[in-house]
Amino acid sequence: MKKIIPALLLGSTLVTPAMAAEVDITIENITRGVYFTPLLVAAHPIGTQLFQLGEAASTELQAMAEGGDISGLETQLVSLGATIQANPAEGLLGPGSTTMTQLNTDAAPANTQLSMVAMMLPTNDGFVAINSLTIPTEAGEYSYYVKAYDAGTEANDEVRGSGAPGESGFPVPPPLEAKIGQNGTAFAASAEGFVHVHRGVLGDTDANAGNSDIDSTQHRWLNPVAKVTITVQ
Amino acid sequence: MDTRRLHRLAQIGMLSGMMVGLAACDSSSDNDNTTEMTRQYQVTITNLTAGQPMSPALVMTHSKDWQSFKLGEPASVGVENIAESGDVSVLMTAEAGNEAIYSQQAGAGILTPGSSELFEISTTATGTLSLSVLSMLVNTNDALAAVNGKDLSTLAVGDTTELYLMTYDTGTEANSETADTIPGPAASSGNGEGFNAARDDVRDAVHIHAGVVTADDGLATSTLLSQHRWDNPVASVSIHRIE
């Protein structure tokens, strides 16, 4: 077996790693009935993160998680020199739907990390995220299964309400209007105070009453909630 | 690395053992490491759920370009049969002549929660080698526990790797959770229908299963109870390459 080693070393020197200047990113919503609000996809330098598990969310992350507003995070990323694609799906990315985008870091080789976020509806402050993944540099196709997180900034009362940061309830954009219940009395809950893996929603089976405006047969999920494929040319 | 050159080396009979070593260390997944040898694996599947017996698993080895189903797309009738009734024969028959399939093996019986089954798999097929495992969680409408094509081309002789099964919803049957529509023992009070050709779920496309709601959690028409819930992963697969 020892004889193999020189051959191996020779082999690896012959591999020319593609510099990850341009990558294609495919994002699939693999849930039963959860919608993603406009996605923010970015390549940025190492050492920065959009959130840290166990720590309080930034106000920018809170605005994304509670109302789908990615403008604050986008501003932050721009100031870091990030390469950004905002809202590649041009609106909601529905369950079973796929969107594609590209990041070209030719002009910014320090942007070696991938982050991606979007709010999940219907949730109070649930979001799907990739948090500073090192983008592969060798040519190939790489798939990642992605989890749902809770920003910890809003009580999971599971009823219609506001998408504004700090206000209770979740927003219901027009395409979801008929899918979401009403007159739920709301679960007694409080904001957890730190970002964590989302425990899921409960929902109920009564569209016009009950605790929740979420439908337990349609809007629950188990991880993973998204499949992200990075193609390095 | 020039994999074509490696092919030729292997074909003229030079150091087939060296091929294995090279393949094991080659991290690029595109190598098409043709060898003339037999590849043999011990595959142990363990049910990790609390209360979901798994139907006899279908274990397949195949080219890495083949998949039994794709997320976001309609399931084949063969996969639908596994997910709705645990019947692997339709898919096995459909794929019997497929050159991309190297081996197909069905489990001996129901895999109850906590139990394991060992599969011995052997193939002389050449080229990339992926493993797929498909099994129904029987106390559901159409939940499919699966490994959907895991590339084992680089697993060396003597090495072991561990995988986990996620649960997919094939999207082929409404998740009514009623005793008339679930074939497992939790539905013994009803008709317990397995396969039904109708496709009446939220959409005819495979997605990650959202779990069962159950009567204990407010779905009055459900025949399922708290112990039939699960989280991913639902099963483990230990793969040991012996040749």
Side-chain angles (χ1 to χ4, degrees), chain B residues 36-56:
Chain B
E36 297 297 325
M37 59 189 294
T38 299
R39 286 178 282 188
Q40 222 178 325
Y41 303 86
Q42 289 178 328
V43 174
T44 307
I45 302 174
T46 304
N47 181 336
L48 304 179
T49 69
Q52 283 286 349
M54 293 167 62
S55 67

Side-chain angles (χ1 to χ4, degrees), chain A residues 43-46 80-81 105 107-113:
Chain A
H44 56 83
I46 198 162
L80 291 168
T105 56
N111 291 341
T112 57
Q113 307 301 113

Side-chain angles (χ1 to χ4, degrees), chain A residues 4 8 11 15 28 30-32 95-96 138 145 202 205 216-218 220-224 227, chain B residues 1 22 25 28 71 166 169 175 201-203 207-211 213 217-219 230-232:
Chain A
I4 295 165
L8 252 186
V15 173
E28 298 176 65
I30 56 177
T31 66
R32 177 173 183 78
E138 201 172 317
Y145 287 98
L202 283 174
T205 55
S216 61
T217 68
Q218 301 297 319
R220 288 186 179 187
W221 71 85
L222 294 176
N223 283 322
K227 183 179 181 185
Chain B
M1 192 178 295
L22 283 168
C25 301
S28 86
L71 274 167
M166 293 194 292
D169 186 323
N175 292 354
D201 202 358
V202 288
R203 63 182 180 281
H207 49 276
I208 298 294
H209 206 293
V213 179
D217 203 10
L219 184 59
W230 71 85
D231 200 351
N232 289 320

Side-chain angles (χ1 to χ4, degrees), chain A residues 74-113:
Chain A
E74 196 177 346
T75 303
Q76 274 191 326
L77 285 162
V78 166
S79 72
L80 291 168
T83 308
I84 294 169
Q85 290 286 357
N87 194 14
E90 298 180 342
L92 296 172
L93 186 69
S97 299
T98 297
T99 187
M100 275 177 274
T101 190
Q102 275 187 341
L103 291 173
N104 186 323
T105 56
D106 273 344
N111 291 341
T112 57
Q113 307 301 113

Side-chain angles (χ1 to χ4, degrees), chain A residues 95-172:
Chain A
S97 299
T98 297
T99 187
M100 275 177 274
T101 190
Q102 275 187 341
L103 291 173
N104 186 323
T105 56
D106 273 344
N111 291 341
T112 57
Q113 307 301 113
L114 177 73
S115 287
M116 177 201 86
V117 289
M119 181 191 188
M120 292 167 55
L121 282 174
T123 72
N124 288 91
D125 58 341
F127 65 102
V128 53
I130 288 177
N131 197 19
S132 197
L133 169 84
T134 299
I135 301 171
T137 53
E138 201 172 317
E141 200 177 276
Y142 303 84
S143 289
Y144 303 89
Y145 287 98
V146 182
K147 289 189 284 286
Y149 299 92
D150 186 311
T153 56
E154 182 176 312
N156 292 359
D157 63 9
E158 297 196 7
V159 290
R160 290 169 179 256
S162 169
E167 294 183 12
S168 67
F170 54 81
V172 182

Side-chain angles (χ1 to χ4, degrees), chain B residues 55-76:
Chain B
S55 67
L58 175 56
V59 179
M60 310 171 90
T61 57
H62 51 85
S63 140
K64 86 172 185 142
D65 299 323
W66 184 85
Q67 280 192 307
S68 60
F69 64 91
K70 287 192 168 64
L71 274 167
E73 294 184 13
S76 68

Side-chain angles (χ1 to χ4, degrees), chain B residues 16 19-21 23-24 33 35 37-43 121 123 129 152-161 238-243:
Chain B
S16 59
M19 268 306 297
V20 174
N33 50 317
T35 72
M37 59 189 294
T38 299
R39 286 178 282 188
Q40 222 178 325
Y41 303 86
Q42 289 178 328
V43 174
I121 292 164
T123 174
L129 185 142
L152 296 180
S153 303
T154 60
L155 185 70
V157 173
D159 281 0
T160 301
T161 188
S238 172
I239 303 155
H240 178 57
R241 180 165 177 189
I242 52 180
E243 188 180 333

